[in-house]
Amino acid sequence: MHTTISARQTQPAIFVIFGGTGDLNKRKLAPAIYNLFLENSLPADFALIGTGRTRLTDGEFSKSLLEGVNTFSRRGKVEKKQWDQFCGHIHYQVADLLQESTYVELGQRIGQLQAEWEQEALVIFYLAVAPNFFPVIAKNIAQHQLAENADNARIVVEKPFGRDLESARDLNVLLGELFEEKQIYRIDHYLGKETVQNIMAFRFANLLFEPLWNRNFIDHVQISVTEQLGVGDRGGYYEEAGALRDMVQNHLLQLLCLIAMEAPTSFAADEVRNRKVDVLHAMRRFSAEDVRMNAVRGQYGPGWMEGKEVPGYREEDGVDPESNTETFVAINFFIDNWRWQGVPFYVRTGKRLHQKASTIAIQFKDVPHSIFPPEATETWQQNRLIISIQPEMSIRLQLQAKRPGLEMTLNTVDMVFDYKGTYSDEAPEAYETLLLDTLVGDQTLFMRADQVEAAWELVMPILHAWQAKKSLNFPNYSSDSWGPEVAEGLIARDGFHWFTLPVNRKG
Ligand code: BG6
């Protein structure tokens, strides 16, 4: 997590994007790199080399990125003068990832740029391709000595990092043989989100909450990442993944770690990552019976979203009409340590739900004794802290207060810290933060090998149980709903209900 602008990289830098013509580059990486350029966060000498199978000139490639930036950048359309300057840094290389010549040419291109700049550059190899290409690219980078100097070459690996524990381990072993751990950046874009980074600031830069942050005061925690979008054109990928692999193994467990971790001794990358992995180690490993009791799945059927008819998951392109893949997951996790024993952590995520919202709700225990008559407390609500990650960016503390009037009536009020009202600067996109971190060499917000494996260990029993037993009632929720009824049942059996923020629907 880059802290000051003085930590800014001045050494020349090259981003080599494998999958340069792909969606991720267009939507996220190129807009992020362009915004870093506009903010003067890149060195004067830098290059973006995109690779792809299509034959394109540098100019054609720049044009395709321009479309992406104009459509997806948080800053809207580019200004011609600035874009023209940026274009001078864009290069394209046609590449067959399986051919050695690709890496030879890449080496030559890097060599030419370095000769021009008269200085060795920092090279960031970004693997924005399908995961089956990770090993072949990594091997070739190493074999062609493109990452020889561990201080000057880094490799960014997109998710999914493996498709189960075994394949994640294999990939870690391979990368570990080819590179030093300090060169490997396993990305989880949730960690780059401004509001997610703020969880640590909120917890460890304020005295107030830490004494309450444990089983003595917290009743339960809910982590909810709901999406309105369906799988769209990613049906082929999603069929193989499902919500458990796509969201829970990475994003949701990372959010849970930030809420549940002990205070690290410093903000150093490994201190933070040690405390996060401790949480994963303390989480209860599920038996088959635990899975049955604590994990539920769902798949969306057709319906209407905001006045538009949308297909069910089984009707999406690239999806088996009898698919068993889950598009919704809810799990009750437990953390078996002194701080959290007995506190349920409910997580849920799903596509085609009623609202796009990522929220963490921490519900505190009830007061030990109420001094108020029952008629004063009809809308009684235990204190709640709600961290809203997106689209609303806020932290709100729900309190009981006296409603103005002659009678003693209590109701719930919110104390709100809202980014919009507090800061005029727009928050950077997650990928801007994370790409800058790769440049300055800060791995705090990236996954370490052991974290990835520990997270896989936790989801494996659920994956196994669901693979072994086909769900007989899919699709079991309609588009624009809050998911399957079993998800309500999971939390209702403990006397709770899923929390939703009354935000305007968006996204
Ligand atoms: C990605 C998943 O990692 O995260 C997608 O592959 C999901 O399926 C996306 O839609 C959600 O990210 P965000 O930033 O839109 O919440």
Side-chain angles (χ1 to χ4, degrees):
M1 207 177 304
H2 48 277
T3 42
T4 59
I5 201 77
S6 62
R8 190 153 67 82
Q9 169 76 21
T10 51
Q11 181 189 3
I14 303 174
F15 293 97
V16 177
I17 312 225
F18 293 100
T21 48
D23 219 39
L24 186 70
N25 192 26
K26 258 188 220 158
R27 283 170 177 266
K28 300 286 184 189
L29 305 181
I33 295 173
Y34 182 56
N35 285 339
L36 291 176
F37 166 77
L38 292 182
E39 273 156 24
N40 277 330
S41 294
L42 298 181
D45 292 326
F46 80 93
L48 184 171
I49 306 178
T51 78
R53 268 181 309 184
T54 324
R55 220 157 254 294
L56 295 176
T57 61
D58 288 354
E60 286 165 340
F61 178 56
S62 306
K63 207 167 153 225
S64 75
L65 294 188
L66 174 62
E67 277 165 29
V69 175
N70 276 338
T71 318
F72 300 109
S73 171
R74 66 182 166 90
R75 292 177 191 272
K77 287 203 172 17
V78 306
E79 280 182 29
K80 187 172 177 322
K81 199 169 145 219
Q82 290 168 325
W83 178 259
D84 287 347
Q85 279 169 8
F86 184 69
C87 265
H89 299 270
I90 300 180
H91 305 261
Y92 183 73
Q93 193 189 324
V94 66
D96 177 342
L97 298 174
L98 305 179
Q99 289 295 326
E100 298 232 345
S101 55
T102 295
Y103 304 90
V104 174
E105 284 163 24
L106 206 50
Q108 287 164 351
R109 181 73 74 110
I110 293 169
Q112 278 162 10
L113 287 166
Q114 294 185 137
E116 238 172 71
W117 297 332
E118 296 175 349
Q119 204 182 337
E120 192 172 349
L122 173 69
V123 187
I124 292 162
F125 296 99
Y126 200 114
L127 273 50
V129 288
N132 52 317
F133 288 109
F134 294 172
V136 73
I137 299 176
K139 279 184 200 158
N140 272 291
I141 289 174
Q143 268 161 24
H144 291 86
Q145 284 144 20
L146 302 179
E148 277 297 88
N149 180 343
D151 292 324
N152 278 344
R154 294 174 192 151
I155 175 158
V156 185
V157 187
E158 260 296 332
K159 69 176 267 277
F161 195 94
R163 62 180 325 276
D164 52 21
L165 177 60
E166 206 188 329
S167 52
R169 274 193 186 138
D170 290 348
L171 186 54
N172 275 330
V173 168
L174 177 76
L175 293 175
E177 282 165 5
L178 303 172
F179 311 105
E180 291 180 27
E181 180 64 28
K182 70 172 185 185
Q183 296 180 274
I184 308 168
Y185 287 69
R186 298 173 192 79
I187 209 161
D188 181 323
H189 79 280
Y190 262 64
L191 296 180
K193 288 183 191 278
E194 193 61 39
T195 33
V196 173
Q197 292 182 68
N198 195 34
I199 296 174
M200 267 206 283
F202 181 79
R203 285 196 56 199
F204 302 125
N206 296 295
L207 181 72
L208 277 186
F209 294 98
E210 200 46 30
L212 307 179
W213 211 258
N214 58 53
R215 64 193 299 273
N216 298 325
F217 296 95
I218 293 179
D219 204 15
H220 74 276
V221 175
Q222 294 182 24
I223 300 176
S224 185
V225 176
T226 59
E227 297 185 273
Q228 286 186 303
L229 292 175
V231 294
D233 53 13
R234 296 166 77 221
Y237 152 76
Y238 203 86
E239 268 293 86
E240 295 296 313
L244 195 58
R245 286 190 177 93
D246 187 48
M247 297 293 287
V248 178
Q249 187 272 343
N250 34 70
H251 308 324
L252 276 96
L253 282 176
Q254 285 303 306
L255 295 178
L256 185 150
C257 286
L258 288 167
I259 294 297
M261 71 195 277
E262 298 298 317
T265 45
S266 76
F267 207 47
D270 271 331
E271 291 299 333
V272 172
R273 299 194 296 180
N274 288 343
R275 295 294 77 85
K276 284 171 68 188
V277 82
D278 284 349
V279 176
L280 297 173
H281 290 154
M283 287 174 72
R284 193 172 304 166
R285 300 287 181 273
F286 281 175
S287 64
E289 177 60 10
D290 290 332
V291 174
R292 209 178 58 76
M293 295 299 294
N294 298 305
V296 301
R297 55 184 156 163
Q299 188 190 72
Y300 64 83
W304 290 78
M305 306 237 11
E306 298 185 325
K308 262 203 195 150
E309 196 166 10
V310 292
Y313 177 68
R314 290 178 175 188
E315 286 84 58
E316 301 275 17
D317 281 350
V319 172
D320 178 350
E322 291 184 19
S323 173
N324 189 40
T325 301
E326 78 286 351
T327 60
F328 178 100
V329 175
I331 304 173
N332 180 2
F333 282 119
F334 302 92
I335 305 175
D336 291 326
N337 63 14
W338 276 51
R339 189 189 280 263
W340 295 117
Q341 189 56 243
V343 179
F345 278 72
Y346 304 101
V347 307
R348 72 169 169 173
T349 184
K351 297 208 181 279
R352 282 279 186 245
L353 298 177
H354 183 60
Q355 196 173 70
K356 176 178 171 76
S358 301
T359 48
I360 301 172
I362 290 143
Q363 179 148 325
F364 291 91
K365 294 201 164 168
D366 212 346
V367 294
H369 166 68
S370 170
I371 62 168
F372 303 100
E375 59 277 15
T377 59
E378 271 167 15
T379 58
W380 185 263
Q381 155 70 58
Q382 290 155 240
N383 294 144
R384 250 194 215 141
L385 181 77
I386 296 142
I387 301 174
S388 177
I389 291 165
Q390 63 185 24
E392 181 181 307
M393 296 167 71
S394 66
I395 297 181
R396 55 180 73 217
L397 185 58
Q398 297 194 318
L399 308 166
Q400 294 302 306
K402 180 187 175 303
R403 182 191 281 277
L406 297 177
E407 285 169 9
M408 171 55 87
T409 314
L410 300 175
N411 71 339
T412 305
V413 292
D414 287 7
M415 268 174 65
V416 186
F417 153 53
D418 174 20
Y419 279 67
K420 259 202 195 135
T422 312
Y423 302 113
S424 52
D425 294 350
E426 208 189 325
E429 276 274 338
Y431 276 95
E432 293 171 38
T433 301
L434 296 173
L435 281 165
L436 189 54
D437 282 352
T438 61
L439 209 57
V440 298
D442 186 339
Q443 292 182 307
T444 314
L445 300 180
F446 292 81
M447 309 282 290
R448 211 169 49 188
D450 56 340
Q451 285 180 297
V452 177
E453 290 179 18
W456 274 118
E457 272 170 35
L458 281 169
V459 302
M460 285 318 292
I462 310 174
L463 272 182
H464 282 147
W466 289 355
Q467 265 159 15
K469 196 158 182 267
K470 209 169 161 50
S471 179
L472 296 176
N473 66 348
F474 276 2
N476 60 354
Y477 69 98
S478 51
S479 292
D480 203 22
S481 71
W482 279 115
E485 261 176 39
V486 277
E488 292 303 327
L490 180 78
I491 188 164
R493 70 174 182 205
D494 296 336
F496 309 129
H497 62 89
W498 290 104
F499 170 79
T500 47
L501 263 183
V503 289
N504 294 331
R505 298 184 51 184
K506 245 196 208 162

